[in-house]
Amino acid sequence: MSNALAEAEKIGGERTLEDSGSQRPEIFERPKGWRRIYYHPVLQVSLLGLVCFMCPGMFNALSGLGGGGQVKSTDQANASSALYATFAFFGFFSGTINNVLGPRLTLMLGTWGYSLYIASFLAVNIKPNAGDFVVVSGAVLGVCAALLWTAQGSLMMAYPTEAQKGTFIGIFWAIFNLGGVVGSAVALGQNFNSTAGSVGNGTYIGFLILTLIGVFIPLFMANPDKIIRTDGTRVVQVRHPSWKAEFFSLFIALKTDPWIVLLFPMFFASNYFYTWQFNDYNGAIFTIRARGLNNFVYWTSQIFGSLFIGYFILDRNQVRRRVRAFVGWTLVFAMVFVVHIWAYFYQRTYTRETVSPATDIDIFAKSYPAHVWLMIFYGLLDSMWQTFAYWLMGAMSNDLAKLAVFTGFYKSIQSCGAAGVWRADGVGLPYMNIFISTWVLTAAGMLFAFPMVYFRVKDHTEDEDEGL
């Protein structure tokens, strides 16, 4: 850890004060002793990643199994639709709540919904007629997730210096996705010899315990106003605005920085593709242990994808930030077509009517290696997509309050897309229809983002771009 902290300080110090803008920022002395480690931005973003390791990480491991690990995916698809519908609504106001309550309390309020959601699947395993409980818990989780992800996004983008944002996003994304990796490994190990179509109670109980641990981790995090970045600048000052002023900030953000609108299609598609990947591919044509292994490699590849684009591309300080933005956009856009052209040749071989447990692909089948590599590339695309989206928002401002509003927009619009496609899956829309719509929306999201990258991303964040 000490080496990582030293390296982060080295990276953060590469820019001079004169390069950061026309107004010289106030520089603070970094704390000494154990406080230097505790209040270091790298440690705090790591703790933030650990919160998401325990809660959204376990949710991802469960979702990645297809149908929440159940034989029939209807309850999970309807619960996901309810989840993202409430997420979409509350996401627009979660930035406001985060600014008023503070990120630590917002994180804690957001974590407990994941425990409730996983407990609902345990209830279904015990009592099969408890499907309504799953849907209700999904709706509650949507409210909690809006709070958690808004607090997470604002902190993750505010802790680093401008030269570190891609690296910090990569650090967070790697720790967060370790949750999916560990959860998938647990599910795979416990169900490796299972001939049933759903996971056992032990898997759900293990996930539930981990999410409950995640509820208490925010208690050990530092308040952001006590954090000093590696270049000596303070993250944020204490703000106590009125609720009315905070609600106005949603509309002020759109008025003062309208370029964010061009990212809305990218936001819309950013969770849309999970439905086909998890339910209509992994959940549709694989055995339960193959689903578990697919899930494991999917989340593992996310770690490498986020670190690759975050550290080696978006934070390559020898290259101007605008150039890095164009390179990142090109890589993600190319990956969209690589994985979807590949997936199309698989999707055209099956439909909802032709899939059955008797035809599921097992890990020992000859066709399995090629199919699992597609899951790996989908994991790379997802991590690169999300990291690039966060990096673009971070390039627009360094102000915690403004980033909270941007993240609220991101998660709300993202959830609108997810709610619609999960409902489409729940009512049995053909797999091919969902797949084609996913391909079109991801390509369109990148095309709409290009003018914003070209006109809005600057080599350094200017003073007028900072606050609301």
Side-chain angles (χ1 to χ4, degrees):
M1 174 65 75
S2 60
N3 291 336
L5 301 185
E7 178 66 20
E9 292 188 2
K10 179 181 177 182
I11 296 173
E14 288 181 357
R15 288 188 54 217
T16 63
L17 293 176
E18 287 76 15
D19 291 335
S20 63
S22 57
Q23 182 179 355
R24 185 182 180 90
E26 185 176 2
I27 301 300
F28 297 86
E29 183 180 358
R30 302 210 56 248
K32 307 295 184 182
W34 67 269
R35 290 182 178 84
R36 185 178 185 85
I37 297 176
Y38 176 68
Y39 288 111
H40 199 287
V42 169
L43 179 61
Q44 292 301 315
V45 83
S46 298
L47 288 174
L48 183 64
L50 193 58
V51 173
C52 293
F53 173 107
M54 295 294 182
C55 296
M58 296 304 109
F59 170 85
N60 285 345
L62 189 64
S63 299
L65 290 171
Q70 297 292 309
V71 176
K72 295 183 179 180
S73 63
T74 303
D75 288 339
Q76 186 267 344
N78 290 332
S80 295
S81 181
L83 188 164
Y84 289 109
T86 54
F87 197 158
F89 177 78
F90 285 96
F92 269 103
F93 308 102
S94 55
T96 298
I97 297 171
N98 177 76
N99 288 342
V100 173
L101 298 182
R104 286 204 307 168
L105 180 57
T106 305
L107 275 175
M108 182 169 289
L109 291 175
T111 51
W112 71 270
Y114 291 90
S115 302
L116 176 66
Y117 182 76
I118 290 174
S120 71
F121 281 95
L122 177 61
V124 168
N125 250 23
I126 297 172
K127 189 174 182 180
N129 294 327
D132 290 342
F133 179 34
V134 178
V135 177
V136 172
S137 67
V140 173
L141 177 56
V143 180
C144 295
L147 299 175
L148 182 143
W149 282 109
T150 297
Q152 173 273 333
S154 62
L155 288 174
M156 182 180 68
M157 293 186 291
Y159 281 148
T161 64
E162 284 188 22
Q164 297 173 322
K165 289 190 176 182
T167 302
F168 273 56
I169 294 171
I171 291 172
F172 167 82
W173 207 256
I175 297 173
F176 157 49
N177 281 300
L178 275 175
V181 172
V182 171
S184 302
V186 170
L188 176 62
Q190 290 189 343
N191 299 280
F192 188 81
N193 296 316
S194 174
T195 57
S198 62
V199 300
N201 290 346
T203 302
Y204 293 122
I205 293 172
F207 286 0
L208 179 60
I209 292 173
L210 290 173
T211 57
L212 290 173
I213 294 173
V215 172
F216 296 98
I217 294 177
L219 291 174
F220 300 96
M221 296 177 64
N223 287 321
D225 60 307
K226 296 181 179 180
I227 305 299
I228 298 175
R229 297 188 184 100
T230 56
D231 62 357
T233 57
R234 190 179 292 278
V235 167
V236 66
Q237 299 292 334
V238 177
R239 301 171 64 250
H240 299 285
S242 67
W243 280 91
K244 183 177 179 180
E246 285 299 329
F247 274 108
F248 273 122
S249 69
L250 296 169
F251 306 101
I252 294 172
L254 284 174
K255 183 178 180 180
T256 58
D257 216 333
W259 288 104
I260 192 70
V261 174
L262 288 177
L263 294 183
F264 284 4
M266 187 180 184
F267 295 169
F268 188 86
S270 59
N271 268 14
Y272 193 97
F273 43 63
Y274 288 147
T275 302
W276 187 86
Q277 293 172 19
F278 295 152
N279 273 21
D280 303 343
Y281 180 68
N282 194 34
I285 62 174
F286 295 94
T287 63
I288 188 64
R289 63 181 174 185
R291 286 155 61 181
L293 183 55
N294 291 346
N295 203 19
F296 177 80
V297 298
Y298 179 90
W299 297 114
T300 302
S301 66
Q302 291 240 4
I303 297 173
F304 294 99
S306 61
L307 289 175
F308 167 73
I309 194 171
Y311 183 78
F312 293 104
I313 303 298
L314 300 179
D315 274 3
R316 195 171 184 84
N317 296 312
Q318 297 88 343
V319 182
R320 292 171 50 207
R321 186 163 73 172
R322 281 180 54 81
V323 175
R324 286 177 265 148
F326 288 124
V327 173
W329 183 92
T330 302
L331 284 174
V332 176
F333 187 67
M335 281 290 290
V336 166
F337 281 89
V338 168
V339 299
H340 285 95
I341 291 173
W342 187 352
Y344 171 75
F345 287 98
Y346 293 149
Q347 176 57 86
R348 66 180 186 175
T349 63
Y350 66 93
T351 65
R352 287 189 187 274
E353 291 71 30
T354 62
V355 296
S356 69
T359 60
D360 285 348
I361 301 172
D362 192 36
I363 58 176
F364 299 113
K366 291 182 179 180
S367 61
Y368 179 73
H371 284 76
V372 74
W373 270 106
L374 177 61
M375 287 295 292
I376 292 172
F377 272 76
Y378 261 119
L380 292 172
L381 171 62
D382 181 26
S383 60
M384 292 169 67
W385 182 288
Q386 310 292 351
T387 301
F388 186 60
Y390 275 118
W391 185 86
L392 285 178
M393 289 186 286
M396 298 175 73
S397 178
N398 294 324
D399 179 69
L400 186 63
K402 191 172 185 178
L403 292 174
V405 175
F406 283 173
T407 309
F409 285 143
Y410 176 50
K411 287 299 177 181
S412 180
I413 296 168
Q414 176 187 74
S415 300
C416 286
V421 71
W422 280 114
R423 182 56 184 161
D425 192 58
V427 300
L429 198 69
Y431 289 150
M432 182 62 80
N433 292 24
I434 294 177
F435 173 76
I436 294 298
S437 65
T438 300
W439 190 352
V440 170
L441 286 172
T442 50
M446 294 304 297
L447 290 174
F448 273 97
F450 184 80
M452 182 270 173
V453 173
Y454 184 84
F455 291 106
R456 179 63 178 81
V457 176
K458 304 173 183 177
D459 286 330
H460 304 299
T461 302
E462 304 296 339
D463 294 337
E464 59 268 21
D465 298 328
E466 285 295 325
L468 292 171

